[in-house]
RNA sequence: GCCCGGGUGGCGGAAUGGCAGACGCGGAGGACUCAAAAUCCUUUGCUCGAGAGGGCGUGCGGGUUCGAGUCCCGCCCCGGGCACCA
């Protein structure tokens, strides 16, 4: 398509200028009001795809807009440069992940520059930079010292495709790996964990203080999964001095406990299993330990399969409410890792217990009166029955009374449980930050001394997917001496989850030059918390939860004194780009590369498309029509450019009321666009500008012409409004119109003049019985009585009136509704 | 199953309880042109009507209101999250 200007030349010119002049570099002592605008730390996957383009278009818009609003905007860029794709690609190509990564970083950097997105490149951070790794490891060791990092053996998620363990957060609901899609296996391994559960309560409570999408906040609340209840003891029938501790949120249903269940991993299982039951219990436990979570949960929907999944241990415990003995079962529907790993089972009021009881022929005793005709378990509210001292009470009251009873008679205590588990950070892969500890036969786990950081992986490591950490096979790396006793020791061979890198990079951005600290808290406090964070919804739990934990922990261990405990004040999650219904991504291979558009519509045209196509939070369907919409956006820029050259315009000298009215429309648009910028309604902001261009063009091209100075004023205002959206072309047009003056990006954001925004007269709609019958010109200040009188007097309305109206509703100056 | 979103023209989407469909794409017609492209102009929810004009329309069914796309109740469908968490 022939453009009225040379897209490529013009974009190159301005991109070079922004870079050379360091236009968007800011110093920490900048006197202006501060604003920290941040797009999520990207994994360097090569040239940008449409998802990146969308992300950086929004980010750049915020940066340029806030700059025009007079703020010092911190706009850093960097790379989440450790990770599996680089390692896998290096294995395939027989090269080193660093080479692969550097090439991809250069490509992505080039892509964002071609988009015209501006950054303070001096502050660039990337995860595999030894300068960054040093502090990543120092933080790990501080966590270790504070007891927030610990080593433990636990059943963990092992992904055969990735040849490493995963965090709970990286496993999908169906038991597959979030990254590779392979079925995740359970293995018992000794691994490093971060004690994120120490922060469960605070992570949950602080969600309320965040200006985040409700959806994301809900997802985090669900993930943390707080539940209040009572932990108490069911005494063993054979030895009442001891008992089985259980957790319940429904102590009020205690009279309905007809059996108890312990998890296959429970330490008491051995003791509680009688000889007659040993064979059946052992086979159940073995099967449970081998089955994946998917297989374990596959049969959960119906009662089918429950029989196989539970067995009687042969022992009994005493229900403290009734004094009766009830059997203890082992079943894998009870998790060893939640609560106490054992439950009281109330089949009448719990669906899972009900299904199990049906299969195993266990009694069902209702303790809450279910609604008429209710079949199966009833977990709702209702008066208590068959419940001794609880009879007649409603659920809330009964819970209270039952909890008090258990505290007194069953070593009970009110407790809170969380679904959230500690964060498993060990990874059996090469391309990550090594965990900086050594193992000594004498001193045990020993931290690598600070002076020796960073611990760097040697380059000549054999990487494969055997499942063993590649570093473990490198004797030169593995064998070391103990920092404490000087004796022989072995280095930890695992690397850290790459989510640790993205959990504090924003802090380093604030103070990237400091040589002797991860970041100076005083410098970081000048920018933190992030004013606007922008990224994909896919990070709703993982990254956003981890980063919140990191900052809280960093403050508590003294590395970030004075910082607020939440990193991201406002979050915006953009929609995904879909092609044929599925998410556009490199791994799916369904990308529409942005490059082709740079040559035709240019970066500005592509940016405008992403702003215009729909609400930023919504997904974008890339269809056959999309190309046309992109063209339409470019066409708008062309038309604006031609108008700024007075193409086909006519002029007159005396300023008329029509000229005034156009200027008023311009100011109304200033107000609309500003509002759109503030509430992330970019699509309507662009629409308002398109509408204004239509108005102004039509006016300036009338045979009777336009007032020249008014047109110039309109053009200048429009260029400023469009500057954050189409930065190259607006810079060019501004320079043409104002040679020798500062760039449009250095001007301030226009303010609408309230006197011009206000209207002298407005159209009032007159309805008869809710149907529009007339439109009247009235003053905006018209009173209710005046409006009603004018409406009734109008001849169009009279036609529909037959005598006195029954009622007149006047909403001046918008509308009058006459009920006939 | 539970918890969030969301259902508006041929399409993407607009609408502080007050003219439904802004803006754009696509379509139709026209101007310019030998012709085409580009550009510009007009038109474009459905429907009845020659016309003036009328009727119907925001997933479905109710309700509140002078007035509902918007609020309330009950459903249906789509997208996402969680899912033996006791």
């Amino acid at each position: 398509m022939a453009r009225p200007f040379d897209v490529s030349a013009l974009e190159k010119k301005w991109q070079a200028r922004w870079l050379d002049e360091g236009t968007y570099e800011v110093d920490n002592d900048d006197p202006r009001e501060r604003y920290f605008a941040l797009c999520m730390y990207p994994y360097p996957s090569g040239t940008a795809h449409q998802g990146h383009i969308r992300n950086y278009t929004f980010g750049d818009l915020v940066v340029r807009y806030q700059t025009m609003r007079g703020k010092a905007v911190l706009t850093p860029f960097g790379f989440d440069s450790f990770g599996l794709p680089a390692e896998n690609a290096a294995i395939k190509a027989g090269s080193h992940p660093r080479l692969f990564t550097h090439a991809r970083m250069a490509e992505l950097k080039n892509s964002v520059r071609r988009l015209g997105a501006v950054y303070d490149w001096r502050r660039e951070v990337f995860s595999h930079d030894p300068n960054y790794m040093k502090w990543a490891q120092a933080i790990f060791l501080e966590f270790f010292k504070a007891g927030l990092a610990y080593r433990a053996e636990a059943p963990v998620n092992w992904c055969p495709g990735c040849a490493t363990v995963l965090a709970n957060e990286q496993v999908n609901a169906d038991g597959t790996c979030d990254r590779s899609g392979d079925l995740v296996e359970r293995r018992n391994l000794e691994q490093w964990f971060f004690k994120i559960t120490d922060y469960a309560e605070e992570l949950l409570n602080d969600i309320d203080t965040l200006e985040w999408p409700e959806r994301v906040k809900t997802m985090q609340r669900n993930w943390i999964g707080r539940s209040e209840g009572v932990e108490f003891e069911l005494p063993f029938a054979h030895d009442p001095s001891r008992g089985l501790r259980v957790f319940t949120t429904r102590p009020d249903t205690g009279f309905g406990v007809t059996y108890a269940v312990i998890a296959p991993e429970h330490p008491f299982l051995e003791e509680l299993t009688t000889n007659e039951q040993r064979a059946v219990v052992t086979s159940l436990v073995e099967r449970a330990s081998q089955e994946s979570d998917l297989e374990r949960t596959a049969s959960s929907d119906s009662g089918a399969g429950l029989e196989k999944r539970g067995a009687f241990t042969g022992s009994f415990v005493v229900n403290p409410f009734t004094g009766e003995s009830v059997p203890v079962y082992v079943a894998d529907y009870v998790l060893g890792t939640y609560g106490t790993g054992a439950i009281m089972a109330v089949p009448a009021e719990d669906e899972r217990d009900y299904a199990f009881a049906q299969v195993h022929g266990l009694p069902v005793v209702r303790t809450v009166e279910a609604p008429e005709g209710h079949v199966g378990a009833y977990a709702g509210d209702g008066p208590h029955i068959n419940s001794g001292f609880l009879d007649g009470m409603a659920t809330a009251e009964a819970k209270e009374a039952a909890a008090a009873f258990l505290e007194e008679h069953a070593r009970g205590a009110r407790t809170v449980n969380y679904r959230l588990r500690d964060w498993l950070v060990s990874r059996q892969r090469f391309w990550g930050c090594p965990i900086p500890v050594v193992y000594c036969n004498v001193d045990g786990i020993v931290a690598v001394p600070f002076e020796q950081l960073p611990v760097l992986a040697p380059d000549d490591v054999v990487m494969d997917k055997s499942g063993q950490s590649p570093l473990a096979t490198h004797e030169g790396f593995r064998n070391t001496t103990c920092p404490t006793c000087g004796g022989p020791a072995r280095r930890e061979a695992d690397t850290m989850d790459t989510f640790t890198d993205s959990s504090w990079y924003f802090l380093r951005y604030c103070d990237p030059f400091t040589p002797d600290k991860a970041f100076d808290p005083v410098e970081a406090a000048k920018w933190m918390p992030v004013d606007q964070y922008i990224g994909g919804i896919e990070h709703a739990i993982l990254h956003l939860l981890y980063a919140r934990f990191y900052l809280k922990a960093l403050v508590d261990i003294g590395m970030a004194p004075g910082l607020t405990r939440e990193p991201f004040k406002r979050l915006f999650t953009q929609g995904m780009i879909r092609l044929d219904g599925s998410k556009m991504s490199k791994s799916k291979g369904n990308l529409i590369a942005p490059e082709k558009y740079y040559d035709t519509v240019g970066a500005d045209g592509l940016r405008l498309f992403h702003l215009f196509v729909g609400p930023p939070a919504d997904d974008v369907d890339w269809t056959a029509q999309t190309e046309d919409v992109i063209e339409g956006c470019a066409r708008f820029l062309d038309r604006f450019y031609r108008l700024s050259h007075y193409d086909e315009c006519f002029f007159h000298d005396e300023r008329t009321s029509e000229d005034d009215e156009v200027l008023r429309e311009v100011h109304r648009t200033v107000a609309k666009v500003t509002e759109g910028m503030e509430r992330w309604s970019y699509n309507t902001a662009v629409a308002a500008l398109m509408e204004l261009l239509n108005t102004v063009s039509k006016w300036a091209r009338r045979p009777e012409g336009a007032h020249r100075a008014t047109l110039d004023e309109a053009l200048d205002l429009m260029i400023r409004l469009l500057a954050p959206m189409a930065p190259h072309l607006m810079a060019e047009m501004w320079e043409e119109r104002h040679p020798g003056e500062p760039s449009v990006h250095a001007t301030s954001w226009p303010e609408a003049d309230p006197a011009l925004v206000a209207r002298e007269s407005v159209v009032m709609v007159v309805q008869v019985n809710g149907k529009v019958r007339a439109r009247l010109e009235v003053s905006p200040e018209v009173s209710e009585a005046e409006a009603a009188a004018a409406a009734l007097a109008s001849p169009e309305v009279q036609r529909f009136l037959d005598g006195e109206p029954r009622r007149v509703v006047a909403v001046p100056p918008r509308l009058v509704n006459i009920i006939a």
Side-chain angles (χ1 to χ4, degrees):
Chain A
M1 306 307 117
R3 300 262 103 95
F5 46 86
D6 184 340
V7 179
S8 297
L10 189 150
E11 292 185 351
K12 276 197 189 82
K13 165 184 163 183
W14 288 100
Q15 283 163 19
R17 199 171 292 186
W18 295 326
L19 203 58
D20 294 346
E21 294 179 359
T23 313
Y24 288 88
E25 293 173 359
V26 285
D27 293 327
N28 284 359
D29 57 5
D30 195 300
R32 292 172 292 179
E33 188 186 339
R34 285 144 199 290
Y35 195 93
F36 192 172
L38 186 64
C39 290
M40 286 180 185
Y41 203 43
Y43 180 77
S45 57
T47 54
H49 54 69
Q50 295 294 345
H52 288 123
I53 296 294
R54 195 164 170 76
N55 193 195
Y56 299 127
T57 294
F58 296 145
D60 196 54
L61 185 88
V62 169
V63 167
R64 293 177 183 273
Y65 170 68
Q66 293 297 345
T67 301
M68 286 178 81
R69 299 224 69 153
K71 293 180 185 155
V73 180
L74 178 61
T75 169
F77 202 91
F79 298 94
D80 189 13
S81 57
F82 274 133
L84 276 179
E87 183 168 346
N88 292 338
I91 292 172
K92 218 176 196 173
S95 74
H96 194 284
R98 187 185 300 111
L99 298 173
F100 183 85
T101 301
H102 284 167
R104 295 297 165 275
M105 280 168 58
E107 284 169 354
L108 185 54
K109 199 184 280 191
N110 195 44
S111 281
V112 299
R113 281 183 186 159
R114 283 217 65 180
L115 183 67
V118 286
Y119 301 98
D120 183 349
W121 288 103
R122 302 171 304 167
R123 296 176 185 257
E124 182 178 347
V125 163
F126 53 95
S127 304
H128 73 283
D129 180 348
N131 270 324
Y132 190 73
M133 292 170 67
K134 175 177 177 176
W135 299 111
Q137 292 174 344
I139 291 169
F140 180 95
L141 292 176
E142 290 299 320
F143 281 5
F144 179 50
K145 262 189 240 166
L148 287 170
Y150 67 94
R151 197 167 161 78
E153 186 180 308
V156 297
N157 308 298
W158 172 269
C159 172
C162 300
T164 182
V165 299
L166 304 173
N168 285 326
E169 288 79 1
Q170 290 168 306
V171 181
N172 296 324
D174 63 357
T176 57
C177 170
D178 190 41
R179 181 177 292 277
S180 70
D182 289 293
L183 201 55
V184 170
E185 300 165 9
R186 289 193 309 155
R187 290 192 182 181
N188 267 312
L189 292 171
E190 203 174 291
Q191 303 278 308
W192 283 96
F193 292 87
F194 282 166
K195 248 186 154 187
I196 192 171
T197 52
D198 273 9
Y199 289 86
E201 186 76 28
E202 192 191 338
L203 286 167
L204 181 69
N205 291 338
D206 287 356
I207 290 173
D208 297 338
T209 69
L210 301 172
E211 293 172 54
W212 287 18
E214 213 43 55
R215 191 158 61 123
V216 177
K217 296 207 273 189
T218 304
M219 282 164 70
Q220 291 220 348
R221 286 191 191 102
N222 290 344
W223 187 262
I224 294 168
R226 181 183 199 274
S227 60
E228 279 179 23
V230 180
E231 197 183 301
F232 68 100
E233 214 157 273
L234 297 167
F236 295 144
H238 60 276
D239 177 8
S241 70
R242 298 166 56 231
L244 184 65
R245 287 200 80 76
V246 296
F247 172 75
T248 182
T249 57
R250 292 297 301 273
D252 59 302
T253 61
F255 283 88
V257 173
T258 54
Y259 64 99
V261 187
I262 64 173
E265 303 90 342
H266 200 284
F268 286 0
L269 179 60
E270 178 61 24
E271 180 186 346
L272 292 175
T273 303
T274 58
N275 287 332
E276 307 86 77
Q277 295 298 319
R278 189 157 311 267
V280 58
V281 167
T282 306
S283 82
L284 178 110
V285 171
E286 271 175 17
R287 188 169 26 228
S289 69
Q290 280 161 16
E291 275 185 343
S292 70
D293 281 353
L294 181 63
E295 289 162 320
R296 266 174 77 159
T297 56
S299 53
S300 67
D301 294 340
S302 60
L306 280 163
E307 190 174 11
K308 281 184 285 184
R309 296 170 37 241
F312 179 43
T313 60
S315 294
F316 292 84
V317 290
V318 179
N319 178 344
F321 290 94
T322 60
E324 284 170 19
S325 285
V326 295
V328 179
Y329 277 71
V330 56
D332 62 5
Y333 82 90
V334 170
L335 306 173
T337 49
Y338 184 80
T340 60
I343 62 157
M344 63 176 217
V346 189
E349 278 89 35
D350 183 283
E351 271 178 48
R352 298 152 298 180
D353 297 345
Y354 184 83
F356 191 85
Q358 291 297 104
V359 174
H360 291 266
L362 292 155
V364 177
V365 178
R366 281 212 188 280
T367 62
V368 178
E369 201 174 296
E372 192 74 27
H374 185 90
V375 188
Y378 174 68
D381 204 348
H384 281 60
I385 50 174
N386 304 322
S387 293
F389 66 94
L390 301 175
D391 276 349
M393 293 183 189
T395 301
E397 189 190 356
K399 268 189 184 175
E400 192 52 41
F405 172 84
L406 290 170
E407 281 175 332
E408 200 164 333
H409 299 101
R411 295 181 210 172
R414 289 167 221 242
T415 55
V416 175
N417 261 302
Y418 299 92
R419 210 189 72 103
L420 181 72
R421 304 293 148 76
D422 277 340
W423 175 10
L424 170 56
V425 294
S426 305
R427 294 292 180 275
Q428 288 72 48
R429 296 305 300 252
F430 170 75
W431 192 234
C433 187
I435 293 172
V437 297
V438 301
Y439 301 96
C440 167
N441 285 336
V442 179
D443 299 299
I445 300 173
V446 183
V448 172
F450 178 75
E451 314 77 64
Q452 291 176 25
L453 299 183
V455 174
L456 296 175
D459 278 353
D460 57 339
V461 172
V462 179
M463 295 171 286
D464 58 29
K465 291 190 175 181
S466 66
Q468 183 166 190
S469 298
L471 284 174
T473 64
H474 192 285
E475 290 304 314
F477 175 81
R478 202 79 209 271
N479 295 319
T480 183
T481 51
C482 171
T484 307
C485 69
R490 288 167 72 71
R491 278 190 196 282
E492 168 67 63
D494 287 353
T495 52
M496 284 189 245
D497 182 358
T498 56
F499 278 108
T500 62
D501 301 313
S502 52
S503 288
W504 68 282
Y505 72 105
F506 42 89
L507 295 165
R508 185 72 186 170
Y509 277 151
C510 296
D511 185 31
F513 316 114
T514 278
D516 58 350
K517 287 189 181 112
F519 53 90
D520 186 323
V522 174
E523 297 304 310
K526 290 177 178 172
W527 298 106
M528 289 294 292
V530 174
D531 292 282
Q532 182 65 66
Y533 200 32
I534 307 167
I537 185 77
E538 64 272 21
H539 294 109
I541 295 173
L542 291 158
H543 162 60
L544 290 169
L545 191 66
Y546 294 149
R548 295 180 60 213
F549 157 70
Y550 246 68
L551 184 55
K552 290 173 192 301
L554 287 169
V555 173
D556 287 342
I557 64 177
M559 289 184 78
L563 263 66
T564 51
R565 299 175 68 86
E566 283 291 338
F568 315 121
K569 195 164 90 183
R570 296 182 76 200
L571 170 72
F572 187 85
T573 48
Q574 67 189 78
M576 294 185 301
I577 316 273
R578 295 171 180 281
L579 189 66
D580 301 327
S582 68
K583 181 186 174 176
M584 203 184 268
S585 73
K586 185 153 187 168
S587 57
K588 288 207 171 69
N590 60 349
L591 298 182
I592 301 282
E595 273 70 27
K596 58 185 280 201
Y597 301 106
Y598 287 145
D599 296 328
T600 55
V601 302
D604 286 340
L606 188 57
R607 289 166 66 118
L608 205 63
F609 160 76
H610 277 288
L611 296 171
F612 179 68
V613 67
D618 288 6
D619 289 350
V620 176
D621 272 307
W622 203 277
T623 65
Q625 181 187 252
T626 302
E627 299 271 327
D628 290 327
V629 178
I630 295 173
E631 276 299 327
C633 290
R635 198 147 53 221
F636 163 70
L637 293 175
D638 294 349
R639 291 176 60 213
F640 185 35
Y641 182 84
R642 284 197 301 266
L643 183 69
S644 82
H645 287 88
Y646 312 113
D647 202 31
E648 294 175 56
C649 291
F650 300 97
F651 297 106
H652 58 235
D653 296 331
E654 291 300 311
R655 189 167 166 146
T656 67
S657 64
E658 281 158 309
D659 298 326
D660 286 345
E661 190 50 34
V662 168
L663 191 63
R664 287 170 165 276
E665 281 305 326
V666 175
H667 276 261
R668 282 169 200 140
T669 305
V670 171
K672 274 187 222 166
V673 173
T674 305
E675 196 206 327
M677 294 297 238
E678 293 294 333
R679 42 173 273 233
W680 283 76
S681 183
Y682 302 141
N683 54 329
T684 58
V686 175
L689 285 160
M690 288 175 166
E691 202 174 357
L692 181 65
L693 179 64
N694 292 340
T695 305
V696 174
S697 299
K698 211 164 275 182
W699 160 71
R701 287 171 181 168
R702 297 172 312 165
E704 59 267 46
H707 185 243
R708 172 88 184 232
T710 304
L711 176 58
D712 283 333
E713 197 176 340
L715 288 170
D716 280 353
L717 281 167
M718 289 169 76
I719 291 171
R720 282 156 71 196
L721 293 178
L722 270 162
M725 303 176 177
H728 310 86
L729 184 60
M730 293 312 114
E732 183 71 16
M733 283 165 60
W734 187 265
E735 191 181 56
E736 285 172 357
R737 300 176 52 77
H738 302 274
E741 289 180 31
S743 156
V744 66
H745 298 292
T747 66
S748 62
W749 185 254
E751 280 196 44
D753 180 345
L756 293 176
V757 170
R759 290 173 193 277
E760 281 167 350
S761 75
V762 294
V763 175
M764 183 176 75
V765 168
V766 183
Q767 298 177 332
V768 178
N769 292 331
K771 286 193 199 318
V772 180
R773 297 302 183 187
R775 289 166 223 279
L776 305 175
E777 287 269 328
V778 297
S779 150
E781 281 90 36
V782 68
S783 74
E784 213 173 301
E786 288 164 345
L792 288 168
S794 132
E796 295 100 314
V797 171
Q798 284 297 328
R799 271 177 51 213
F800 290 91
L801 288 184
D802 190 22
E804 279 300 295
R806 285 197 290 139
R807 190 174 164 189
V808 178
V809 181
V811 190
R814 309 179 75 110
L815 164 145
V816 174
N817 190 10
I818 298 162
I819 316 305

